[in-house]
Amino acid sequence: MDVKRLQDFETFSAEKMAKNALFNSRHLFFDLYCLQPGQAQKVHAHGGSDKVYLVMKGAPTLTLGSDERVLAPGEAVMAPEGVPHGVRNDGPDDAVLLVTMAPKP
C-alpha cells in the first residue's frame, strides 16, 4: 500500500508554483500545488479531462471561465473539460491545494 503524508510534499519554489506529484497513473494524476504569495497557474483549458481543486491551506483565487472566487480551506471546485481555469495566490500566506485530473491528458 502506497501511503503518502501530505505534509512531506508541501514544498515551495521561489521561482514558480510547485506541483508535487502524490500519485500518477495512466488514468489520473493527484498533485499538491504549493503557491507562495504572488504565484499563479496561468488560465488554461484541457480537452477531454476534468480537474478538481481542493484547498488545504491559504485563500487562493480560482478562475473558472469568466468567474473568479477566493476559496477557503475545505472548499473544492471542479473545472470541467474545455472550461478555462487557473489559480493564483493574491493573499499574504502560502496556499496549498490538492489537485487531480481524470482522465489524465
Side-chain angles (χ1 to χ4, degrees), residues 19-65:
K19 292 182 182 181
N20 303 313
L22 295 166
F23 299 102
N24 193 359
S25 75
R26 63 185 185 107
H27 300 288
L28 65 82
F29 72 76
F30 194 67
D31 291 348
L32 197 66
Y33 286 12
C34 300
L35 297 90
Q36 292 180 328
Q39 293 182 334
Q41 175 191 50
K42 69 178 182 174
V43 176
H44 63 288
H46 304 278
S49 298
D50 298 326
K51 185 183 280 186
V52 175
Y53 294 88
L54 169 63
V55 178
M56 302 300 292
K57 293 183 181 178
T61 300
L62 189 93
T63 300
L64 184 61

Short mmCIF file of all heavy atoms in Angstrom, two decimals, residues 19-65:
data_model
loop_
_atom_site.label_atom_id
_atom_site.label_comp_id
_atom_site.label_asym_id
_atom_site.label_seq_id
_atom_site.Cartn_x
_atom_site.Cartn_y
_atom_site.Cartn_z
N LYS A 19 4.41 22.06 -8.26
CA LYS A 19 3.49 20.94 -8.47
C LYS A 19 4.20 19.69 -7.97
O LYS A 19 5.17 19.24 -8.57
CB LYS A 19 3.15 20.77 -9.96
CG LYS A 19 2.34 21.87 -10.54
CD LYS A 19 2.03 21.54 -12.00
CE LYS A 19 1.25 22.63 -12.67
NZ LYS A 19 0.95 22.28 -14.08
N ASN A 20 3.71 19.15 -6.87
CA ASN A 20 4.35 18.00 -6.26
C ASN A 20 3.46 16.77 -6.42
O ASN A 20 2.36 16.72 -5.88
CB ASN A 20 4.61 18.29 -4.78
CG ASN A 20 5.47 19.54 -4.61
OD1 ASN A 20 6.48 19.69 -5.28
ND2 ASN A 20 5.06 20.44 -3.75
N ALA A 21 3.93 15.81 -7.19
CA ALA A 21 3.13 14.63 -7.51
C ALA A 21 2.99 13.71 -6.30
O ALA A 21 3.98 13.31 -5.69
CB ALA A 21 3.76 13.87 -8.67
N LEU A 22 1.75 13.38 -5.97
CA LEU A 22 1.46 12.40 -4.92
C LEU A 22 1.25 11.03 -5.56
O LEU A 22 1.83 10.04 -5.14
CB LEU A 22 0.21 12.80 -4.14
CG LEU A 22 0.34 14.08 -3.32
CD1 LEU A 22 -1.03 14.55 -2.87
CD2 LEU A 22 1.23 13.84 -2.13
N PHE A 23 0.37 10.98 -6.55
CA PHE A 23 0.09 9.74 -7.28
C PHE A 23 0.01 10.08 -8.76
O PHE A 23 -0.47 11.14 -9.14
CB PHE A 23 -1.23 9.11 -6.83
CG PHE A 23 -1.23 8.72 -5.37
CD1 PHE A 23 -1.86 9.51 -4.43
CD2 PHE A 23 -0.59 7.57 -4.94
CE1 PHE A 23 -1.86 9.18 -3.09
CE2 PHE A 23 -0.57 7.22 -3.60
CZ PHE A 23 -1.21 8.03 -2.68
N ASN A 24 0.44 9.14 -9.58
CA ASN A 24 0.45 9.35 -11.02
C ASN A 24 0.24 7.99 -11.69
O ASN A 24 1.01 7.06 -11.45
CB ASN A 24 1.79 9.96 -11.43
CG ASN A 24 1.79 10.51 -12.82
OD1 ASN A 24 0.80 10.42 -13.54
ND2 ASN A 24 2.91 11.08 -13.22
N SER A 25 -0.82 7.90 -12.46
CA SER A 25 -1.07 6.66 -13.20
C SER A 25 -1.42 7.03 -14.64
O SER A 25 -1.52 8.20 -14.98
CB SER A 25 -2.22 5.86 -12.56
OG SER A 25 -3.47 6.46 -12.87
N ARG A 26 -1.66 6.04 -15.44
CA ARG A 26 -2.04 6.36 -16.82
C ARG A 26 -3.46 6.92 -16.90
O ARG A 26 -3.86 7.45 -17.92
CB ARG A 26 -1.84 5.18 -17.75
CG ARG A 26 -2.64 3.98 -17.47
CD ARG A 26 -2.25 2.82 -18.38
NE ARG A 26 -3.16 1.73 -18.14
CZ ARG A 26 -4.11 1.36 -18.98
NH1 ARG A 26 -4.25 1.95 -20.13
NH2 ARG A 26 -4.91 0.38 -18.65
N HIS A 27 -4.22 6.84 -15.81
CA HIS A 27 -5.60 7.31 -15.79
C HIS A 27 -5.78 8.69 -15.15
O HIS A 27 -6.70 9.41 -15.49
CB HIS A 27 -6.50 6.32 -15.06
CG HIS A 27 -6.51 4.97 -15.68
ND1 HIS A 27 -7.13 4.70 -16.87
CD2 HIS A 27 -5.94 3.81 -15.28
CE1 HIS A 27 -6.95 3.43 -17.18
NE2 HIS A 27 -6.23 2.87 -16.22
N LEU A 28 -4.93 9.03 -14.17
CA LEU A 28 -5.09 10.29 -13.46
C LEU A 28 -3.79 10.73 -12.83
O LEU A 28 -2.84 9.96 -12.73
CB LEU A 28 -6.17 10.20 -12.38
CG LEU A 28 -5.94 9.28 -11.18
CD1 LEU A 28 -5.07 9.92 -10.11
CD2 LEU A 28 -7.27 8.89 -10.56
N PHE A 29 -3.77 12.01 -12.43
CA PHE A 29 -2.70 12.46 -11.55
C PHE A 29 -3.34 13.08 -10.31
O PHE A 29 -4.48 13.52 -10.34
CB PHE A 29 -1.73 13.44 -12.23
CG PHE A 29 -2.26 14.81 -12.49
CD1 PHE A 29 -2.39 15.75 -11.47
CD2 PHE A 29 -2.61 15.20 -13.77
CE1 PHE A 29 -2.88 17.02 -11.71
CE2 PHE A 29 -3.09 16.48 -14.02
CZ PHE A 29 -3.23 17.38 -12.98
N PHE A 30 -2.58 13.09 -9.23
CA PHE A 30 -3.05 13.64 -7.95
C PHE A 30 -1.86 14.38 -7.36
O PHE A 30 -0.88 13.76 -6.93
CB PHE A 30 -3.50 12.49 -7.05
CG PHE A 30 -4.31 12.91 -5.86
CD1 PHE A 30 -5.57 13.45 -6.00
CD2 PHE A 30 -3.80 12.74 -4.59
CE1 PHE A 30 -6.32 13.82 -4.89
CE2 PHE A 30 -4.53 13.10 -3.47
CZ PHE A 30 -5.80 13.65 -3.62
N ASP A 31 -1.92 15.72 -7.41
CA ASP A 31 -0.79 16.56 -7.04
C ASP A 31 -1.12 17.46 -5.87
O ASP A 31 -2.28 17.75 -5.58
CB ASP A 31 -0.40 17.48 -8.21
CG ASP A 31 0.20 16.75 -9.39
OD1 ASP A 31 0.54 15.56 -9.26
OD2 ASP A 31 0.33 17.38 -10.46
N LEU A 32 -0.06 17.97 -5.25
CA LEU A 32 -0.17 19.01 -4.26
C LEU A 32 0.44 20.26 -4.89
O LEU A 32 1.62 20.27 -5.23
CB LEU A 32 0.59 18.61 -2.98
CG LEU A 32 0.26 19.38 -1.72
CD1 LEU A 32 -1.18 19.10 -1.29
CD2 LEU A 32 1.21 19.00 -0.61
N TYR A 33 -0.40 21.29 -5.11
CA TYR A 33 0.08 22.55 -5.65
C TYR A 33 0.40 23.46 -4.47
O TYR A 33 -0.42 23.63 -3.57
CB TYR A 33 -0.98 23.23 -6.51
CG TYR A 33 -1.23 22.65 -7.87
CD1 TYR A 33 -0.73 21.42 -8.28
CD2 TYR A 33 -2.00 23.36 -8.78
CE1 TYR A 33 -1.00 20.92 -9.53
CE2 TYR A 33 -2.27 22.86 -10.04
CZ TYR A 33 -1.76 21.64 -10.42
OH TYR A 33 -2.03 21.15 -11.67
N CYS A 34 1.58 24.06 -4.48
CA CYS A 34 2.03 24.95 -3.41
C CYS A 34 2.40 26.29 -4.02
O CYS A 34 3.32 26.37 -4.84
CB CYS A 34 3.24 24.33 -2.71
SG CYS A 34 2.91 22.72 -1.96
N LEU A 35 1.67 27.33 -3.62
CA LEU A 35 1.86 28.66 -4.17
C LEU A 35 2.23 29.64 -3.07
O LEU A 35 1.50 29.78 -2.09
CB LEU A 35 0.58 29.17 -4.84
CG LEU A 35 0.05 28.42 -6.04
CD1 LEU A 35 -0.91 27.33 -5.62
CD2 LEU A 35 -0.63 29.38 -6.98
N GLN A 36 3.34 30.31 -3.26
CA GLN A 36 3.69 31.41 -2.38
C GLN A 36 2.90 32.64 -2.82
O GLN A 36 2.37 32.68 -3.93
CB GLN A 36 5.19 31.68 -2.45
CG GLN A 36 6.03 30.57 -1.86
CD GLN A 36 7.51 30.84 -1.94
OE1 GLN A 36 7.99 31.49 -2.86
NE2 GLN A 36 8.25 30.34 -0.97
N PRO A 37 2.80 33.65 -1.96
CA PRO A 37 2.11 34.88 -2.35
C PRO A 37 2.67 35.42 -3.67
O PRO A 37 3.89 35.45 -3.88
CB PRO A 37 2.39 35.83 -1.18
CG PRO A 37 2.52 34.91 0.00
CD PRO A 37 3.24 33.71 -0.55
N GLY A 38 1.76 35.79 -4.58
CA GLY A 38 2.15 36.32 -5.88
C GLY A 38 2.32 35.29 -6.97
O GLY A 38 2.45 35.64 -8.14
N GLN A 39 2.29 34.00 -6.64
CA GLN A 39 2.46 32.96 -7.65
C GLN A 39 1.10 32.55 -8.23
O GLN A 39 0.07 32.71 -7.59
CB GLN A 39 3.18 31.75 -7.07
CG GLN A 39 4.61 32.06 -6.70
CD GLN A 39 5.36 30.85 -6.16
OE1 GLN A 39 4.77 29.91 -5.61
NE2 GLN A 39 6.69 30.88 -6.28
N ALA A 40 1.15 31.99 -9.46
CA ALA A 40 -0.10 31.62 -10.14
C ALA A 40 0.13 30.48 -11.12
O ALA A 40 1.25 30.26 -11.59
CB ALA A 40 -0.66 32.83 -10.88
N GLN A 41 -0.95 29.81 -11.41
CA GLN A 41 -1.03 28.87 -12.53
C GLN A 41 -1.83 29.63 -13.58
O GLN A 41 -2.96 30.04 -13.30
CB GLN A 41 -1.75 27.59 -12.13
CG GLN A 41 -1.96 26.64 -13.29
CD GLN A 41 -2.90 25.51 -12.93
OE1 GLN A 41 -3.99 25.75 -12.41
NE2 GLN A 41 -2.50 24.29 -13.21
N LYS A 42 -1.26 29.85 -14.76
CA LYS A 42 -1.97 30.63 -15.76
C LYS A 42 -3.28 29.95 -16.16
O LYS A 42 -3.41 28.72 -16.06
CB LYS A 42 -1.09 30.88 -16.98
CG LYS A 42 -0.80 29.66 -17.80
CD LYS A 42 0.04 29.99 -19.00
CE LYS A 42 0.26 28.72 -19.83
NZ LYS A 42 0.94 29.00 -21.07
N VAL A 43 -4.22 30.75 -16.60
CA VAL A 43 -5.51 30.23 -17.05
C VAL A 43 -5.30 29.43 -18.32
O VAL A 43 -4.63 29.87 -19.26
CB VAL A 43 -6.52 31.38 -17.26
CG1 VAL A 43 -7.83 30.86 -17.81
CG2 VAL A 43 -6.76 32.12 -15.93
N HIS A 44 -5.86 28.23 -18.34
CA HIS A 44 -5.72 27.30 -19.46
C HIS A 44 -6.92 26.36 -19.47
O HIS A 44 -7.76 26.42 -18.58
CB HIS A 44 -4.41 26.51 -19.32
CG HIS A 44 -4.38 25.66 -18.10
ND1 HIS A 44 -4.24 26.18 -16.81
CD2 HIS A 44 -4.51 24.31 -17.93
CE1 HIS A 44 -4.26 25.18 -15.93
NE2 HIS A 44 -4.43 24.04 -16.59
N ALA A 45 -7.01 25.51 -20.46
CA ALA A 45 -8.12 24.55 -20.55
C ALA A 45 -7.57 23.20 -21.01
O ALA A 45 -6.51 23.12 -21.61
CB ALA A 45 -9.18 25.05 -21.52
N HIS A 46 -8.33 22.14 -20.71
CA HIS A 46 -7.98 20.78 -21.12
C HIS A 46 -9.17 20.20 -21.87
O HIS A 46 -10.29 20.24 -21.39
CB HIS A 46 -7.71 19.88 -19.90
CG HIS A 46 -6.65 20.39 -19.00
ND1 HIS A 46 -5.31 20.21 -19.25
CD2 HIS A 46 -6.72 21.09 -17.85
CE1 HIS A 46 -4.61 20.78 -18.29
NE2 HIS A 46 -5.44 21.32 -17.42
N GLY A 47 -8.91 19.63 -23.02
CA GLY A 47 -9.95 18.91 -23.74
C GLY A 47 -9.99 17.48 -23.26
O GLY A 47 -8.95 16.83 -23.15
N GLY A 48 -11.16 16.99 -22.90
CA GLY A 48 -11.31 15.59 -22.55
C GLY A 48 -10.97 15.22 -21.12
O GLY A 48 -10.99 14.05 -20.77
N SER A 49 -10.64 16.21 -20.27
CA SER A 49 -10.30 15.91 -18.87
C SER A 49 -10.93 16.93 -17.94
O SER A 49 -11.01 18.11 -18.25
CB SER A 49 -8.78 15.96 -18.65
OG SER A 49 -8.12 15.00 -19.43
N ASP A 50 -11.39 16.45 -16.78
CA ASP A 50 -11.91 17.32 -15.73
C ASP A 50 -10.84 17.45 -14.64
O ASP A 50 -10.10 16.49 -14.37
CB ASP A 50 -13.17 16.72 -15.09
CG ASP A 50 -14.31 16.57 -16.08
OD1 ASP A 50 -14.45 17.41 -16.98
OD2 ASP A 50 -15.09 15.60 -15.93
N LYS A 51 -10.77 18.63 -14.01
CA LYS A 51 -9.79 18.87 -12.95
C LYS A 51 -10.53 19.32 -11.70
O LYS A 51 -11.48 20.10 -11.78
CB LYS A 51 -8.79 19.94 -13.38
CG LYS A 51 -7.67 20.16 -12.37
CD LYS A 51 -6.75 21.29 -12.80
CE LYS A 51 -5.76 20.82 -13.83
NZ LYS A 51 -4.76 21.87 -14.15
N VAL A 52 -10.08 18.84 -10.54
CA VAL A 52 -10.66 19.25 -9.26
C VAL A 52 -9.56 19.89 -8.41
O VAL A 52 -8.46 19.33 -8.30
CB VAL A 52 -11.28 18.06 -8.49
CG1 VAL A 52 -11.76 18.50 -7.12
CG2 VAL A 52 -12.42 17.45 -9.30
N TYR A 53 -9.88 21.05 -7.85
CA TYR A 53 -9.01 21.76 -6.92
C TYR A 53 -9.65 21.69 -5.54
O TYR A 53 -10.81 22.06 -5.38
CB TYR A 53 -8.89 23.24 -7.29
CG TYR A 53 -8.20 23.56 -8.59
CD1 TYR A 53 -8.93 23.62 -9.78
CD2 TYR A 53 -6.85 23.86 -8.63
CE1 TYR A 53 -8.31 23.96 -10.97
CE2 TYR A 53 -6.23 24.20 -9.82
CZ TYR A 53 -6.96 24.25 -10.99
OH TYR A 53 -6.34 24.58 -12.17
N LEU A 54 -8.90 21.28 -4.52
CA LEU A 54 -9.35 21.26 -3.14
C LEU A 54 -8.35 22.06 -2.31
O LEU A 54 -7.16 21.72 -2.26
CB LEU A 54 -9.44 19.83 -2.60
CG LEU A 54 -9.67 19.68 -1.09
CD1 LEU A 54 -11.00 20.28 -0.66
CD2 LEU A 54 -9.58 18.22 -0.68
N VAL A 55 -8.82 23.14 -1.69
CA VAL A 55 -7.94 24.00 -0.91
C VAL A 55 -7.66 23.37 0.46
O VAL A 55 -8.59 23.01 1.18
CB VAL A 55 -8.55 25.41 -0.73
CG1 VAL A 55 -7.63 26.29 0.13
CG2 VAL A 55 -8.80 26.06 -2.08
N MET A 56 -6.39 23.26 0.78
CA MET A 56 -5.97 22.73 2.08
C MET A 56 -5.54 23.86 3.02
O MET A 56 -5.80 23.82 4.21
CB MET A 56 -4.80 21.75 1.89
CG MET A 56 -5.12 20.57 0.98
SD MET A 56 -6.47 19.56 1.57
CE MET A 56 -5.73 18.85 3.00
N LYS A 57 -4.84 24.86 2.46
CA LYS A 57 -4.34 25.99 3.25
C LYS A 57 -4.40 27.25 2.40
O LYS A 57 -4.30 27.20 1.17
CB LYS A 57 -2.88 25.77 3.66
CG LYS A 57 -2.65 24.66 4.64
CD LYS A 57 -1.18 24.59 5.02
CE LYS A 57 -0.92 23.46 5.99
NZ LYS A 57 0.51 23.34 6.33
N GLY A 58 -4.52 28.38 3.07
CA GLY A 58 -4.47 29.66 2.39
C GLY A 58 -5.83 30.08 1.84
O GLY A 58 -6.86 29.51 2.18
N ALA A 59 -5.79 31.10 0.97
CA ALA A 59 -7.01 31.65 0.37
C ALA A 59 -6.74 31.99 -1.09
O ALA A 59 -6.71 33.16 -1.48
CB ALA A 59 -7.47 32.89 1.14
N PRO A 60 -6.52 30.96 -1.94
CA PRO A 60 -6.22 31.22 -3.34
C PRO A 60 -7.46 31.68 -4.11
O PRO A 60 -8.58 31.40 -3.73
CB PRO A 60 -5.74 29.86 -3.85
CG PRO A 60 -6.47 28.88 -2.99
CD PRO A 60 -6.55 29.53 -1.64
N THR A 61 -7.21 32.39 -5.19
CA THR A 61 -8.28 32.82 -6.10
C THR A 61 -8.33 31.85 -7.26
O THR A 61 -7.31 31.63 -7.94
CB THR A 61 -8.02 34.24 -6.62
OG1 THR A 61 -7.95 35.13 -5.51
CG2 THR A 61 -9.12 34.69 -7.57
N LEU A 62 -9.49 31.25 -7.48
CA LEU A 62 -9.66 30.31 -8.57
C LEU A 62 -10.44 31.00 -9.69
O LEU A 62 -11.46 31.64 -9.43
CB LEU A 62 -10.42 29.06 -8.14
CG LEU A 62 -10.39 27.99 -9.23
CD1 LEU A 62 -9.22 27.06 -9.03
CD2 LEU A 62 -11.67 27.25 -9.32
N THR A 63 -9.95 30.87 -10.91
CA THR A 63 -10.65 31.34 -12.09
C THR A 63 -11.26 30.14 -12.78
O THR A 63 -10.59 29.12 -13.00
CB THR A 63 -9.67 32.05 -13.06
OG1 THR A 63 -9.08 33.15 -12.38
CG2 THR A 63 -10.38 32.52 -14.31
N LEU A 64 -12.54 30.25 -13.10
CA LEU A 64 -13.26 29.19 -13.81
C LEU A 64 -14.15 29.88 -14.84
O LEU A 64 -15.14 30.53 -14.47
CB LEU A 64 -14.08 28.34 -12.86
CG LEU A 64 -14.81 27.14 -13.47
CD1 LEU A 64 -13.82 26.15 -14.09
CD2 LEU A 64 -15.66 26.43 -12.43
N GLY A 65 -13.78 29.79 -16.11
CA GLY A 65 -14.49 30.53 -17.14
C GLY A 65 -14.36 32.01 -16.87
O GLY A 65 -13.26 32.52 -16.65
#
